[in-house]
Amino acid sequence: MAQPAVPLKPQPQMENPLYGRDFLDFADFTPLELQDLLTLAIEIKEKQQKGIAYQPLVGKTLGMIFEKASTRTRVSFEVAMFQLGGHALFLSGHDTQIGRGEPVCDTARVLSRYVDGVMIRTFGHESIIEYARYSTVPVINALTDLHHPCQVLADILTLWEQKGSLKGRTVTYIGDGNNMANSWLIAAPKFGLNLRIATPPGYECDRRVVEQAKGLAKLHGTDLVLTHDPVEAVKNTDVIYTDVWASMGQEEEQQQRLAHFAGYQVNAKLAGHAKSDYLFMHCLPAHRGEEVSADVIDGPNSVIFEEAENRLHVQKAILVALMSHDHKNN
């Protein structure tokens, strides 16, 4: 059976080279483009803090497709569109035809005629790639099983705000080699960050992403360490990062994972090997007493709520950059 022809996305405009592009993972963006997104996020955040109206997306609509549950993602994107002057449309995978078997390519073509951008939170990364292939409007990855770029961009913005610089800093990720770890692998070298990842045996990061990250680390002159030893990984680190041990869709593995991850809890003893002014980060939601102890996540080094807030600001930057061709003039 012949495949449907792939429609063309609008070409980037000179005023904004990101206009019309997709935001699926960090591999598609240069370090300068990613730095520009952070700078734009800071500018938008400062406007909001000063009470300055900034609405470059008046008349624009974002379709939000959710096949996974969400708190921060849904609220931050919906609020972002409202504050930018646009409208967000929530589309549950259970309540749309895509959840009943409509081909992804058909949904993408139809929604492209209604909305100005699409945000997708789903399972398989291949689904969002296929959707973007047939969409003529920008597609934003709000989470797949392979990557979570919006969260990591917010994390890096938080690190920048807290430490004043990025280049040469060391980030240590402890736990499951999941989508969070994968996105850190690609993002870290592009921001000049050294990265250490400690996972239990059998829970390592995606091999294809690791090979890609090794090449990027060599290209950008950053360090990449993959280990099974959490103590070695956190020594003199600037950031300790963790995530839940069983992500959405892995609930049946919960008890097995609790046993395998027992030595990977971020607690005061482990954190004692980091720099005294280390930052503790977590993408949330967190399970206190499992992947992190309460005294760490609620302690003075924790910046989890600053991270959560920054989801709003980086997503505003992404929305403006992809959906407003002349945003630098607004």
Side-chain angles (χ1 to χ4, degrees):
M1 183 176 178
Q3 293 292 318
V6 179
L8 296 176
K9 290 187 185 292
Q11 295 299 304
Q13 303 296 308
M14 291 302 295
E15 298 93 335
N16 174 15
L18 299 185
Y19 174 69
R21 288 171 58 179
D22 302 317
F23 188 76
L24 304 185
D25 74 73
F26 291 110
D28 298 328
F29 293 82
T30 67
L32 181 58
E33 289 171 337
L34 293 172
Q35 184 64 49
D36 285 346
L37 279 176
L38 283 191
T39 301
L40 178 59
I42 287 288
E43 293 172 355
I44 292 173
K45 184 175 182 177
E46 289 176 347
K47 283 184 172 67
Q48 178 173 317
Q49 291 173 338
K50 295 176 181 177
I52 300 172
Y54 179 64
Q55 297 190 322
L57 298 185
V58 171
K60 303 275 188 176
T61 299
L62 176 73
M64 305 192 305
I65 298 175
F66 283 88
E67 295 183 325
K68 280 191 174 186
S70 167
T71 298
R72 280 152 292 276
T73 298
R74 178 178 177 179
V75 174
S76 57
F77 267 108
E78 198 159 332
V79 170
M81 282 301 293
F82 173 77
Q83 292 180 348
L84 292 170
H87 175 70
L89 184 64
F90 176 77
L91 302 167
S92 167
H94 301 293
D95 301 325
T96 58
Q97 296 299 334
I98 196 170
R100 299 175 61 199
E102 181 176 50
V104 170
C105 60
D106 289 355
T107 300
R109 287 164 175 265
V110 170
L111 290 187
S112 292
R113 296 175 180 238
Y114 298 151
V115 301
D116 303 284
V118 173
M119 178 235 82
I120 303 178
R121 183 177 173 91
T122 188
F123 292 90
H125 195 71
E126 298 78 10
S127 295
I128 200 169
I129 291 175
E130 183 181 4
Y131 191 101
R133 183 183 181 209
Y134 291 100
S135 173
T136 58
V137 299
V139 178
I140 299 169
N141 178 4
L143 179 144
T144 66
D145 287 343
L146 189 64
H147 286 291
H148 196 357
C150 290
Q151 177 65 56
V152 171
L153 195 62
D155 300 333
I156 294 174
L157 174 59
T158 307
L159 173 56
W160 189 20
E161 289 178 325
Q162 295 290 325
K163 295 297 185 181
S165 64
L166 294 175
K167 190 172 180 60
R169 300 281 183 186
T170 298
V171 175
T172 297
Y173 178 94
I174 305 291
D176 188 24
N178 59 15
N179 51 6
M180 290 303 310
N182 290 335
S183 282
W184 271 111
L185 279 167
I186 304 303
K190 293 196 172 193
F191 284 101
L193 294 164
N194 302 314
L195 181 65
R196 303 172 191 165
I197 295 181
T199 62
Y203 294 92
E204 295 86 356
C205 299
D206 184 278
R207 284 181 291 180
R208 295 165 299 174
V209 177
V210 168
E211 290 306 309
Q212 191 177 13
K214 288 179 178 177
L216 288 170
K218 184 177 180 180
L219 176 65
H220 296 291
T222 60
D223 295 331
L224 173 60
V225 176
L226 304 174
T227 180
H228 298 306
D229 187 341
V231 173
E232 285 298 317
V234 301
K235 284 184 176 178
N236 292 317
T237 193
D238 295 287
V239 176
I240 301 178
Y241 201 110
T242 193
D243 190 9
V244 294
W245 292 340
S247 299
M248 284 178 284
Q250 299 172 334
E251 289 80 5
E252 293 182 358
E253 303 174 24
Q254 178 72 21
Q255 293 306 311
Q256 176 182 329
R257 284 173 172 260
L258 284 175
H260 291 171
F261 283 78
Y264 291 80
Q265 184 188 79
V266 178
N267 50 39
K269 182 178 179 181
L270 181 63
H273 296 281
K275 291 181 179 179
S276 60
D277 63 345
Y278 82 95
L279 301 178
F280 174 75
M281 292 187 172
H282 194 302
C283 55
L284 301 180
H287 296 162
R288 288 167 171 80
E290 290 186 14
E291 74 273 7
V292 58
S293 60
D295 57 342
V296 169
I297 194 171
D298 297 319
N301 296 79
S302 178
V303 291
I304 59 170
F305 297 115
E306 286 81 0
E307 289 176 82
E309 178 189 341
N310 279 336
R311 286 290 301 277
L312 173 65
H313 307 302
V314 298
Q315 285 158 192
K316 281 184 178 180
I318 293 167
L319 291 166
V320 171
L322 303 187
M323 295 169 59
S324 176
H325 69 84
D326 59 347
H327 74 80
K328 290 185 178 179
N329 297 324
N330 284 315

